[in-house]
Amino acid sequence: MLSLRLIIVSAIGVARLAYADTCATIEALGNINVTRPLHPAYIIEQTQYWSTSCSALKPSCIIFPNSAAEVATIVKVLNNSTEHFAVKSGGHNPNNYFSSVEGGPLISTDHLDQADLDRATGIVDVGPGNRLDGIAAKLQGSGWTFVGGRIGNTGVGGLVLGGGLSYMSAQYGWAASSVLEYELVLANGTIAHVSASTHPDLFKALRGGGNNFGIVTNYRLQARRQGDVYGGNLIFQHTPAVASKLLKAVRDFTEYNDDDKAAVIVTAERANLNLVDSWIIFLFYDGPVVPDGIFNNFTDVGPRPLLNTFRRRTYADLMAFSNWVVVRGSVVDIGTETVPIPSAANSVKVMESLHAHWRNVSSTALLVPGIVASIAWQPFPRRIAQQAKARGPDLIEADDSVDRIIIEMNYSFIPQTEYNRMADTLEATYTGVRNRVLAWQADGTLPQAYLPLFMNYGFYRQDYFGRLKPENRALARSVAMNVDPEGLFRTRTGGWRP
């Protein structure tokens, strides 16, 4: 880390300015795009959040840098102010102040949307201003793709800094596992190129450490070979019998599936007064032909599905198609828990008890206007941990001693007056899951296991860093203090802190 320390203490900034309004100072420089509240670009950018609670926070200006050098200039100016600020990639994280700000400058990476591919090697430089559907469209026809998330509207920046779970994770690990080098603007406004060989501790911390270490302006990634895929959804009406079969199916798939090209998400969803009470199955196969029988436990649960969109497509088409899941015009809360899969003998006890808990808590919110409550059961087989480890260290550092399921719990609703009440409802949902898991581990129903939280689905009240291995939390804290000794990112923008 010696060379990085030299970068940190180097005096290569602009002349120190009196503490002032960042927006006005950047405007006075005349070469960086700054928009104010009545500007069309400001208004449009403020709509680009998944949660209207984030859109309701009004930045003093929105700054649109076009290069790492411009980001560096903005950071140097921020060092001469005391304002809170935020940095925004796609705006999919619904936690207030993580990529949104009230009364301070917002740095939008929208113009940092490069996707420069070396077709021979598959190495691609990707800017944080891209969304997953945009990247997939830009790479379509090249024979390569980016190992990203499952919803096309998701921003690259937040996804990769949180780790990033992909349909292809059993083949290639986290989305962050494909990063070869980060171009990073540090807290003092200098630019570092961070790789496993140049700055190994910082490189590891950036893989799952969030926004604690600087502003990433480019991700150099190893893309993967990609042809047509099979993907889409099955939708079933909820009945107790369908629920039991699908919960067993997702548990069994997590343990027994040995085809790394296959992936599933099993989601239950409810809306106002149970006018919607359904199961939505996301199926994916990384190839143009699906092997016989691989998804039978999901397709053969009983009645014919209400809708079946599972078919052969391009990966770009799948990413674009997936955006139907984004609930526009609503406040969104997302929380998560990680669960070791139960033995086959304890499957009904664990899976159905956890699901009954979710239904009981979500029932208390079914009169909230516009409510959509969902729970997504996402396999986290040990193969993902093996593939991530094979591609270098990360802060999550999941071991391959046990298969797990990542549970994502969502509530979306319309009235912002319900924000605190629904935050309590979400907390009751994930806390109930956690308490049950701990009790089952204590009595032997579930195995003891390291159960980190998945940052990309974390709620702001959850202790992400507290659930990491203590040595990795300590590493993240040490690296953050090293690269940001004055606490620019720790104290003046939102996010989880080590």
Side-chain angles (χ1 to χ4, degrees), residues 232-250:
N233 305 104
L234 304 176
I235 300 180
F236 296 96
Q237 182 67 34
H238 168 79
T239 68
V242 166
S244 294
K245 290 178 181 179
L246 288 175
L247 291 168
K248 182 179 186 301
V250 71

Side-chain angles (χ1 to χ4, degrees), residues 5-211:
R5 288 182 181 275
L6 292 175
I7 292 173
I8 298 299
V9 300
S10 294
I12 64 171
V14 295
R16 300 284 295 180
L17 302 169
Y19 283 92
D21 176 273
T22 298
C23 299
T25 302
I26 298 294
E27 281 176 325
L29 295 175
N31 61 342
I32 298 176
N33 187 356
V34 180
T35 63
R36 296 287 188 169
L38 296 180
H39 193 285
Y42 178 108
I43 295 169
I44 292 171
E45 187 68 16
Q46 279 297 99
T47 68
Q48 300 303 302
Y49 287 103
W50 282 15
S51 178
T52 58
S53 65
C54 297
S55 296
L57 300 173
K58 302 301 183 186
S60 52
C61 69
I62 302 179
I63 307 171
F64 293 90
N66 289 299
S67 66
E70 290 190 0
V71 174
T73 296
I74 295 164
V75 170
K76 290 169 186 174
V77 172
L78 282 169
N79 274 294
N80 291 282
S81 80
T82 58
E83 297 161 297
H84 286 266
F85 66 95
V87 182
K88 178 171 176 280
S89 173
H92 62 277
N93 189 307
N95 291 307
N96 287 354
Y97 305 106
F98 279 40
S99 62
S100 53
V101 63
E102 177 67 41
L106 174 66
I107 303 168
S108 169
T109 63
D110 183 65
H111 294 181
L112 301 173
D113 61 349
Q114 67 273 14
D116 302 323
L117 173 69
D118 183 325
R119 287 178 177 249
T121 64
I123 294 174
V124 57
D125 287 304
V126 173
N130 287 286
R131 298 175 189 270
L132 300 184
D133 52 7
I135 285 289
K138 291 172 183 177
L139 297 181
Q140 177 60 31
S142 70
W144 299 93
T145 198
F146 162 53
V147 179
R150 283 77 59 88
I151 307 302
N153 194 250
T154 302
V156 167
L159 174 85
V160 178
L161 288 175
L165 191 61
S166 171
Y167 284 130
M168 293 178 279
S169 284
Q171 297 180 79
Y172 308 118
W174 308 111
S177 302
S178 293
V179 179
L180 304 174
E181 181 182 280
Y182 301 84
E183 181 180 68
L184 181 69
V185 177
L186 298 163
N188 69 344
T190 58
I191 301 171
H193 292 87
V194 181
S195 68
S197 59
T198 61
H199 309 299
D201 286 350
L202 178 54
F203 183 74
K204 178 177 179 177
L206 284 165
R207 288 176 156 202
N211 64 344

